[in-house]
Amino acid sequence: MTSAIQPPGLKAGDYESTSPEQTEAFAERLGRDLRPGDRVELLGTLGSGKTTFVRGLARGLGLDPNSVHSPTFTRVHRYRGEITLVHADLYRVDSDSQYEELGLEAEEEASSVFVIEWGERLPPDSPPATLCIEIEITGDLTRKLRVSRGPTAPDR
Ligand SMILES: Nc1ncnc2c1ncn2[C@@H]1O[C@H](COP(=O)(O)OP(=O)(O)OP(=O)(O)O)[C@@H](O)[C@H]1O
Ligand SMILES: [Mg+2]
């Protein structure tokens, strides 16, 4: 049905992962093509692999994947490096003031890559994503990864 190997660049497509390591490697490759200002939304049910994906993105950006943890209580984590990765998790966000915490200052938004778990919970007036990754559980170790490009996705 779908391939595990994606082309380089920010391409749309459906892919199949057969292990957590493969999901992480997929995200790592994508992470190498991300630039400051990019915004990646991760959609998918509990335990689908969103945080696993963020670990790969971190690696692709040259950051330590072991520093990636679900920001359940703080809601936003920052992994600093040449490019900072800002990691938000909307699972427990439920009030307007909590959403306000997720609005990045323009300067930070322009200089970081922003990744958001539970992107389906973002308010409708949020800035458009560069890329959306929808992760579907298809088996114990298998996941469908659907990559789509947002309206502002650059050609690269
Ligand atoms: N192909 C796969 N890709 C990613 N994760 C997988 C895969 N197969 C099995 N898993 C397992 O699924 C789980 C995914 O956990 P992870 O924390 O990444 O999910 P999550 O979507 O962030 O969950 P939550 O909704 O709680 O934030 C891990 O235990 C991982 O080992
Ligand atoms: Mg998670």
Side-chain angles (χ1 to χ4, degrees), residues 50-51 70 89 117-118:
K50 301 179 292 298
T51 303
S70 261
D89 188 320
E117 291 193 43
W118 292 99

Side-chain angles (χ1 to χ4, degrees), residues 17 19-20 23 45-52 117-118 140-141 143:
S17 161
S19 67
T23 297
T45 52
L46 269 176
S48 53
K50 301 179 292 298
T51 303
T52 303
E117 291 193 43
W118 292 99
D140 280 353
L141 288 176
R143 303 288 188 266

